[in-house]
Amino acid sequence: MDTYSNLPIGSSVRDKNNVHYRCSPHQLPPFMKCLSDKQIGFVRKIGFESILSMKDFKMDKDLTLWLVDKFNCDTEELEFDGGISIPVRPLVKFVLGIPSGPIKVIEGLHVDDALYKQYTWDTRGKNAMEVAEEMCSITEEEPFCIAFMMAILAIYLAPNTSVNVSRSFLGAARQVGNLKQMDWCNLVADCLFKGIKDYKKSDRLFVHVKGCVHILSVIFIDLAKHPTLIVPDGFPRLSVVTTEMGCFTSKWVVAHPFGSFLPVRCLEESVYAPVRNNMPNGNTVEGVKCSDSQSNTDALADQFAITDTDQNNNKHPILAKLGNARTTHNTSSSPIVDNVVLDTPAQSSVAAPSSLTEHIIFPTSGVQLQSAGPSDEPHSAQIMDSVQVPPDTTVERRRGLLLMMEKDDRSAKKARVELSGSGQVKQAGEVTIKMDMSLLNCSVCSRPIKPPVFECNAGHLACYKCLIGLPYKLCQTCEHGSGFGHIRSLDAIISSLTVKCHHDGCGSYVPYYELDDHQSVCPHVPCFCTELGCGFVGAPQALLSHLIALHAMPVHKVHYGQVHQLRLSVPRPRCLLHGQGDGSVFLLVMGVLGVVSVVCIRAEASSWPQYAVKLQANGPPPPSSVEGSILLAMKPTSSTRPGEVAVEELPSFLMVPPTYLVGSGASKEVSLDVRIDKM
């Protein structure tokens, strides 16, 4: 009997030979290994570096289709025996490690004919494997990134029923500058869930399961309970979970008849436990639903709108329509605020400055967001192809929100749509406003407010975490105290408001209330030169170039998992280690009394990726009477000021005996074997 006969696959007349899927994670690593350092830099810049470290994983059909059957399309959960249900959407980010920004990925955006034909073969989409092969030879950034996105979407992230690329993604893929700010995680989840739903509804004999079904296998392997299955920690999970683990779980599933108890862990007991509180849930922010383009738009229009006033002083929202240059009054509709982007100047890293000029983007529903970034130009120069608010505009607060009105001419239009040279309106408008950022602060902790947001009767705002700590949950700012109510419309706006990280080279847009947290772990955090008297400050990669060019510090390329033979001398007790694949920078340093250690040059709060270091000091070669070696396994300390680190005070260091130092006088040196593993 076929062992698969115990695994239901939807239709009673189907067998596994009639069911197919195109998701092929094992096909990507070979292409990633062919990329040059320059191309790897492009991938890292758009936020898809997790694909570079993806482990080889060959999909098992038995396991995959069994998990598809376990998936509940209504709740979006994997349902296992024992009453354990695992939500899949929040885990996508931690499985894939791809961007989950504030910009919705829109399919079917218009592209020029030349680009469309480039990905067309005989009226159909071009073969995805051919696109991947051609990608490896492209050296220019924009065409490479487009090819990269089209290939990984078709092969892995959002595969369809064929082996061809889906040209509906071209419009999004060509916006290379915004790829890192787009919500690819929700796109992948939507494609997978729709694919499973279509599969289960289909009564056809031969059928494909669309979407990234690999996600289900990774989640199950992470949760499976078995004493001989040891799953390492680390994120993203696709860089940890391997084919061997998948084969083990597949054999176990096939060997156990359907209906028997399947031992799986709940999330609190799994590798996802440390990040459980940070899990997104579609449009849900910590249990509170946010508005999107299809819901609660009236509430958003009422609370956050650019209004116009007619001759009778009646206010109307203005809807900037695409495809023409008119502003239209409409009393039943209003601008739909999917996302708000704030570009803050560099000095805005301190929470809630008193008053700043911000650039805020209001994308129209169904339109891809385009951010022009901050501008120092006068207002008169900021009108090209954008929606503008005149300079004599005030910002008022109503129930914790913003309302824009002109001071003098109340009959004038508050928004203008400027035509580009082609006569077409661009897909996103830019409004420059001046606002007091303290309006977005919690009245309890004085920090940027974080959804869910609550408001007392007097209009004082509070975070939920602060609210539960108040005596009787009453406002302490009010004279006699008052209760709080949940303001869902404000949740939607606060959740859609993002700020650009001011660290040079980063360019990430993060929720306003998470700016401090992001900057504390940002990979582009400013790091200080190791040399006394030098005032250079820059990102780790910039510091690496600086130390090599200006201070002639030796540097060694490090391949993770390989042993490298190095030497440190008393006159030159430092050298740089440059990690290949992710560009991380380490400092190998020898302190006084012959102690040796490794420091990772990055933000102190960074916890990912994690590294393990093995240092081995070797005794002098024959004919010396000293033999042997000393080994230390350690986790390197992270620091933005590596030159100020006292090696003797680090948590881990290798003590090198004086007899291991070779040479005479000040030229003595030690032979070291160094291995760094990326966890």
Side-chain angles (χ1 to χ4, degrees):
M1 178 184 295
D2 185 357
T3 56
Y4 187 79
S5 60
N6 290 321
L7 307 180
I9 56 171
S11 173
S12 59
V13 297
R14 290 191 200 131
D15 62 44
K16 70 173 182 179
N17 295 320
N18 296 337
V19 182
H20 305 278
Y21 48 81
R22 297 292 183 187
C23 181
S24 306
H26 67 283
Q27 292 182 343
L28 288 183
F31 289 112
M32 299 303 108
K33 293 177 182 178
C34 295
L35 300 183
S36 66
D37 290 343
K38 183 179 180 181
Q39 292 170 323
I40 290 173
F42 295 154
V43 176
R44 290 174 56 82
K45 186 175 180 180
I46 62 175
F48 282 80
E49 60 267 25
S50 61
I51 303 297
L52 300 173
S53 60
M54 188 174 182
K55 294 293 185 183
D56 179 65
F57 192 101
K58 293 184 179 180
M59 301 288 292
D60 183 272
K61 202 169 192 178
D62 291 340
L63 175 62
T64 301
L65 297 183
W66 180 79
L67 288 170
V68 166
D69 183 73
K70 288 288 186 182
F71 183 78
N72 187 319
C73 296
D74 295 326
T75 63
E76 298 183 351
E77 295 177 336
L78 283 169
E79 297 179 344
F80 299 106
D81 295 338
I84 296 180
S85 297
I86 305 298
V88 175
R89 187 181 293 271
L91 299 181
V92 172
K93 173 181 178 180
F94 301 99
V95 171
L96 301 179
I98 61 176
S100 57
I103 306 175
K104 182 179 180 181
V105 180
I106 305 296
E107 295 185 58
L109 294 176
H110 175 73
V111 297
D112 57 79
D113 291 341
L115 182 61
Y116 191 83
K117 291 179 181 178
Q118 186 178 342
Y119 287 89
T120 300
W121 181 82
D122 192 23
T123 73
R124 295 173 299 191
K126 200 170 184 178
N127 183 280
M129 298 298 288
E130 291 183 11
V131 171
E133 291 176 2
E134 294 172 358
M135 167 195 73
C136 296
S137 61
I138 300 175
T139 58
E140 296 182 11
E141 181 175 7
E142 182 172 326
F144 170 82
C145 291
I146 295 174
F148 176 83
M149 293 303 302
M150 296 301 290
I152 65 172
L153 285 166
I155 295 173
Y156 178 58
L157 294 178
N160 211 311
T161 59
S162 71
V163 296
N164 305 324
V165 298
S166 176
R167 291 164 293 179
S168 64
F169 290 122
L170 268 175
R174 69 186 293 269
Q175 300 191 40
V176 175
N178 285 331
L179 292 177
K180 197 171 185 178
Q181 283 78 50
M182 295 184 187
D183 189 359
W184 295 101
C185 286
N186 265 327
L187 171 78
V188 172
D190 290 341
C191 291
L192 173 62
F193 300 164
K194 184 180 185 301
I196 295 177
K197 188 174 183 179
D198 292 345
Y199 160 72
K200 290 190 174 185
K201 284 185 175 181
S202 175
D203 56 0
R204 291 169 23 180
L205 182 61
F206 298 94
V207 65
H208 278 83
V209 184
K210 306 174 188 175
C212 186
V213 289
H214 176 228
I215 294 172
L216 304 182
S217 296
V218 172
I219 293 174
F220 174 70
I221 292 169
D222 283 338
L223 301 177
K225 278 186 180 179
H226 198 280
T228 61
L229 178 62
I230 300 176
V231 182
D233 295 336
F235 295 99
R237 301 304 298 160
L238 59 74
S239 65
V240 177
V241 178
T242 63
T243 297
E244 291 74 17
M245 300 175 192
C247 291
F248 175 89
T249 51
S250 174
K251 291 176 181 177
W252 193 94
V253 169
V254 172
H256 290 70
F258 177 75
S260 64
F261 178 69
L262 177 66
V264 294
R265 298 178 176 88
C266 58
L267 289 179
E268 294 84 349
E269 302 172 347
S270 71
V271 295
Y272 299 101
V275 296
R276 187 167 174 268
N277 292 332
N278 298 325
M279 289 183 180
N281 190 12
N283 286 326
T284 301
V285 180
E286 291 194 0
V288 180
K289 276 285 186 178
C290 302
S291 299
D292 57 24
S293 60
Q294 303 299 325
S295 63
N296 203 21
T297 56
D298 292 335
L300 284 176
D302 180 59
Q303 298 293 338
F304 201 1
I306 300 177
T307 60
D308 185 29
T309 311
D310 62 21
Q311 59 186 356
N312 297 320
N313 281 339
N314 296 319
K315 296 178 183 177
H316 305 284
I318 291 179
L319 179 62
K321 292 191 174 182
L322 301 180
N324 55 58
R326 294 177 298 172
T327 53
T328 307
H329 292 298
N330 189 331
T331 57
S332 61
S333 62
S334 60
I336 299 172
V337 184
D338 282 342
N339 299 280
V340 180
V341 180
L342 298 184
D343 279 345
T344 62
Q347 61 267 27
S348 64
S349 59
V350 179
S354 59
S355 181
L356 291 174
T357 299
E358 312 294 354
H359 294 268
I360 300 183
I361 304 299
F362 297 88
T364 308
S365 177
V367 179
Q368 196 71 52
L369 178 66
Q370 297 180 344
S371 172
S375 174
D376 295 326
E377 297 183 48
H379 186 275
S380 59
Q382 299 177 30
I383 62 173
M384 184 176 63
D385 305 328
S386 61
V387 179
Q388 297 292 327
V389 174
D392 54 345
T393 300
T394 60
V395 180
E396 296 184 2
R397 176 171 176 166
R398 185 179 65 187
R399 291 185 60 81
L401 298 171
L402 305 175
L403 183 64
M404 303 176 198
M405 297 183 294
E406 278 192 7
K407 293 179 181 177
D408 303 323
D409 185 6
R410 299 184 62 84
S411 63
K413 297 289 186 291
K414 301 300 183 294
R416 304 197 305 275
V417 180
E418 302 290 341
L419 290 176
S420 62
S422 63
Q424 297 296 319
V425 179
K426 279 197 173 183
Q427 294 180 335
E430 178 178 309
V431 178
T432 302
I433 66 172
K434 188 174 183 179
M435 62 177 291
D436 182 356
M437 299 302 288
S438 66
L439 296 177
L440 302 178
N441 279 9
C442 171
S443 62
V444 180
C445 65
S446 299
R447 303 285 296 170
I449 195 135
K450 183 177 183 180
V453 179
F454 291 79
E455 183 184 49
C456 77
N457 296 332
H460 300 126
L461 303 179
C463 305
Y464 176 70
K465 291 183 179 180
C466 293
L467 174 63
I468 60 178
L470 295 175
Y472 305 105
K473 296 184 179 180
L474 297 178
C475 180
Q476 303 300 295
T477 306
C478 296
E479 182 177 358
H480 301 291
S482 61
F484 284 87
H486 183 198
I487 310 299
R488 292 183 180 274
S489 57
L490 187 51
D491 284 343
I493 293 175
I494 294 297
S495 299
S496 65
L497 186 143
T498 59
V499 185
K500 186 177 182 180
C501 175
H502 64 71
H503 290 157
D504 289 341
C506 180
S508 296
Y509 285 84
V510 297
Y512 173 69
Y513 53 82
E514 292 181 357
L515 179 61
D516 287 346
D517 293 337
H518 165 79
Q519 292 185 160
S520 68
V521 298
C522 178
H524 299 272
V525 64
C527 298
F528 295 78
C529 183
T530 61
E531 302 304 303
L532 290 175
C534 182
F536 178 84
V537 180
Q541 288 286 342
L543 179 57
L544 173 71
S545 300
H546 167 80
L547 289 171
I548 296 172
L550 270 73
H551 301 294
M553 184 174 290
V555 60
H556 302 276
K557 291 184 178 181
V558 173
H559 298 275
Y560 298 125
Q562 297 183 17
V563 177
H564 301 269
Q565 295 180 342
L566 306 174
R567 290 181 179 273
L568 287 180
S569 64
V570 174
R572 299 301 299 265
R574 298 171 178 169
C575 73
L576 294 166
L577 307 178
H578 188 201
Q580 302 302 291
D582 64 358
S584 293
V585 183
F586 304 86
L587 182 67
L588 177 64
V589 57
M590 181 168 61
V592 297
L593 303 176
V595 292
V596 179
S597 192
V598 174
V599 178
C600 183
I601 303 178
R602 62 178 181 178
E604 283 86 352
S606 296
S607 59
W608 186 87
Q610 296 182 0
Y611 299 97
V613 176
K614 289 184 179 179
L615 293 175
Q616 179 174 296
N618 302 309
S624 172
S625 59
V626 180
E627 296 182 359
S629 60
I630 303 174
L631 178 66
L632 170 70
M634 57 172 286
K635 289 186 177 181
T637 298
S638 298
S639 177
T640 58
R641 298 176 179 266
E644 300 178 10
V645 171
V647 185
E648 301 80 6
E649 298 177 5
L650 291 175
S652 301
F653 55 82
L654 178 66
M655 178 67 75
V656 180
T659 53
Y660 277 46
L661 296 175
V662 179
S664 60
S667 63
K668 287 186 177 181
E669 62 181 18
V670 61
S671 172
L672 297 168
D673 289 345
V674 181
R675 170 174 170 167
I676 300 179
D677 291 289
K678 187 176 180 180
M679 307 303 290

PDB file of all heavy atoms in Angstrom, residues 241 350 366 391 433 573:
ATOM      1  N   VAL A 241      16.742  25.997   8.724  1.00  0.00           N
ATOM      2  CA  VAL A 241      16.082  24.706   8.484  1.00  0.00           C
ATOM      3  C   VAL A 241      16.589  24.099   7.179  1.00  0.00           C
ATOM      4  O   VAL A 241      16.623  24.763   6.139  1.00  0.00           O
ATOM      5  CB  VAL A 241      14.557  24.891   8.443  1.00  0.00           C
ATOM      6  CG1 VAL A 241      13.866  23.566   8.146  1.00  0.00           C
ATOM      7  CG2 VAL A 241      14.059  25.456   9.778  1.00  0.00           C
ATOM      8  N   VAL A 350      16.356  62.334  18.778  1.00  0.00           N
ATOM      9  CA  VAL A 350      15.802  62.484  20.118  1.00  0.00           C
ATOM     10  C   VAL A 350      14.295  62.434  20.011  1.00  0.00           C
ATOM     11  O   VAL A 350      13.699  63.063  19.154  1.00  0.00           O
ATOM     12  CB  VAL A 350      16.243  63.824  20.739  1.00  0.00           C
ATOM     13  CG1 VAL A 350      15.654  63.982  22.128  1.00  0.00           C
ATOM     14  CG2 VAL A 350      17.763  63.888  20.792  1.00  0.00           C
ATOM     15  N   GLY A 366      -4.854  51.951  -3.627  1.00  0.00           N
ATOM     16  CA  GLY A 366      -4.521  51.173  -4.798  1.00  0.00           C
ATOM     17  C   GLY A 366      -3.357  51.719  -5.582  1.00  0.00           C
ATOM     18  O   GLY A 366      -3.081  51.272  -6.671  1.00  0.00           O
ATOM     19  N   PRO A 391       1.776  77.703   1.863  1.00  0.00           N
ATOM     20  CA  PRO A 391       2.572  77.990   3.046  1.00  0.00           C
ATOM     21  C   PRO A 391       1.777  78.588   4.187  1.00  0.00           C
ATOM     22  O   PRO A 391       2.155  78.453   5.338  1.00  0.00           O
ATOM     23  CB  PRO A 391       3.637  78.970   2.523  1.00  0.00           C
ATOM     24  CG  PRO A 391       3.081  79.523   1.254  1.00  0.00           C
ATOM     25  CD  PRO A 391       2.235  78.460   0.673  1.00  0.00           C
ATOM     26  N   ILE A 433       4.146  69.790   5.772  1.00  0.00           N
ATOM     27  CA  ILE A 433       3.448  70.413   6.884  1.00  0.00           C
ATOM     28  C   ILE A 433       4.437  70.650   8.009  1.00  0.00           C
ATOM     29  O   ILE A 433       5.500  70.039   8.063  1.00  0.00           O
ATOM     30  CB  ILE A 433       2.282  69.544   7.397  1.00  0.00           C
ATOM     31  CG1 ILE A 433       2.814  68.252   8.014  1.00  0.00           C
ATOM     32  CG2 ILE A 433       1.274  69.277   6.319  1.00  0.00           C
ATOM     33  CD1 ILE A 433       1.755  67.431   8.707  1.00  0.00           C
ATOM     34  N   PRO A 573      48.841  45.007  17.171  1.00  0.00           N
ATOM     35  CA  PRO A 573      48.007  44.048  17.902  1.00  0.00           C
ATOM     36  C   PRO A 573      46.574  43.968  17.391  1.00  0.00           C
ATOM     37  O   PRO A 573      45.734  43.352  18.043  1.00  0.00           O
ATOM     38  CB  PRO A 573      48.045  44.606  19.332  1.00  0.00           C
ATOM     39  CG  PRO A 573      48.175  46.084  19.149  1.00  0.00           C
ATOM     40  CD  PRO A 573      49.002  46.276  17.919  1.00  0.00           C
TER      41      PRO A 573
END
